[in-house]
Amino acid sequence: MKITEYVETLAREGELLAEAAERAGTDAPVPTCPEWRVAGLLRHTGAVHRWAAGYVADARVEPVEFPEAPELAGAELLAWFREGHAALVRTLTEAPADVVCWTFLPTAPPSPLAFWARRQAHETTVHRFDAQAALGIGFGAVAPEFAEDGIDELLTGFHARPRSRVRTEEPRVLRIRAVDTGAVWTVHLSREPARTVRGDTGEPADCELTGEAAWLYTALWNRLPLAGPGVGGDASLARLWSGTAGI
């Protein structure tokens, strides 16, 4: 995907998140993140937006802590969230293509600007799901190509890191197949961080997850149950993912 497409998605998803949060109310619980209410969701995502914008705007090459979110509620908290979201969109839109700054995943798009545009588009989309869950409505649509991209970021980025808790005592193989885009991933699980290969390697899979990219994206990010007819083979691996793959 192009940087402009990520930024357009980020802009749209942030607006949808704020709209759902406003309708739900900042005191509403978030079923997909039981430790949060909507206020916590807005504080977290608003802080992440400001944190990400700082790397790009200031060309920071070393990691820094998240900024502290203010103890606001109601309309004031929503305004603070919208302000940070708009600033992030503006920063990514106006930044030079060759900006050099810190990034944090082992596999990433071809430039730091592409990394942050991609990361924040997915960050905001997943938390838009959370806001819609708090409102009690179904999740809005996600484009198949964007969902495929987010699955790839999750598998080859987040769960390739040493901090990933998705581990098995004995080597196992998990295959993930998006029927609408044709994308396939083969995930090798063991006591070490998962090793993901794009494509069907031909080796037998202990468990295969099959479905449309949007369902796989939402379920692998633990916003929908990873269960049902899309889970084939050893379902314990799907349960392992649901129990240990939280970011």
Side-chain angles (χ1 to χ4, degrees):
M1 292 178 60
K2 297 178 180 178
I3 292 174
T4 54
E5 293 174 311
Y6 287 125
V7 176
E8 288 167 2
T9 300
L10 166 64
R12 180 177 64 253
E13 293 292 335
E15 291 169 1
L16 290 171
L17 192 164
E19 177 185 329
E22 186 170 25
R23 290 172 61 194
T26 56
D27 286 335
V30 181
T32 46
C33 295
E35 71 276 16
W36 277 347
R37 292 187 179 271
V38 167
L41 170 65
L42 291 171
R43 291 188 186 105
H44 167 80
T45 314
V48 170
H49 285 170
R50 287 162 170 80
W51 177 75
Y55 286 111
V56 177
D58 300 332
R60 294 174 179 162
V61 295
E62 297 291 337
V64 298
E65 296 294 326
F66 284 172
E68 187 171 343
E71 291 296 325
L72 300 173
E76 290 182 323
L77 179 57
L78 281 154
W80 176 84
F81 170 82
R82 288 184 165 113
E83 178 184 86
H85 170 249
L88 174 61
V89 171
R90 186 168 58 251
T91 295
L92 294 171
T93 300
E94 297 175 355
D98 60 352
V99 64
V100 175
C101 61
W102 181 77
T103 61
F104 64 88
L105 293 180
T107 59
S111 72
L113 182 59
F115 170 88
W116 283 110
R118 179 197 204 194
R119 175 80 290 280
Q120 292 309 299
H122 289 297
E123 175 83 11
T124 306
T125 300
V126 170
H127 287 315
R128 183 261 289 176
F129 298 153
D130 295 329
Q132 290 178 331
L135 183 57
I137 62 174
F139 298 152
V142 178
E145 295 78 11
F146 180 72
E148 178 186 323
D149 182 78
I151 296 167
D152 198 72
E153 184 199 45
L154 183 65
L155 297 177
T156 68
F158 280 100
H159 288 295
R161 300 188 299 175
R163 69 177 64 183
S164 174
R165 297 182 297 116
V166 183
R167 312 288 178 102
T168 55
E169 287 298 315
E170 300 296 331
R172 308 296 298 278
V173 174
L174 174 66
R175 184 161 290 118
I176 298 166
R177 194 180 301 273
V179 296
D180 48 348
T181 69
V184 180
W185 298 263
T186 300
V187 184
H188 298 89
L189 301 173
S190 69
R191 296 183 182 184
E192 301 300 319
R195 180 176 61 86
T196 297
V197 178
R198 281 295 297 255
D200 187 336
T201 60
E203 61 199 297
D206 296 291
C207 178
E208 185 156 323
L209 308 177
T210 305
E212 293 186 349
W215 175 74
L216 290 167
Y217 176 66
T218 312
L220 288 168
W221 275 101
N222 285 344
R223 265 54 185 192
L224 285 176
L226 193 55
V231 179
D234 184 356
S236 70
L237 289 183
R239 293 193 294 273
L240 171 76
W241 183 276
S242 298
T244 61
I247 303 299

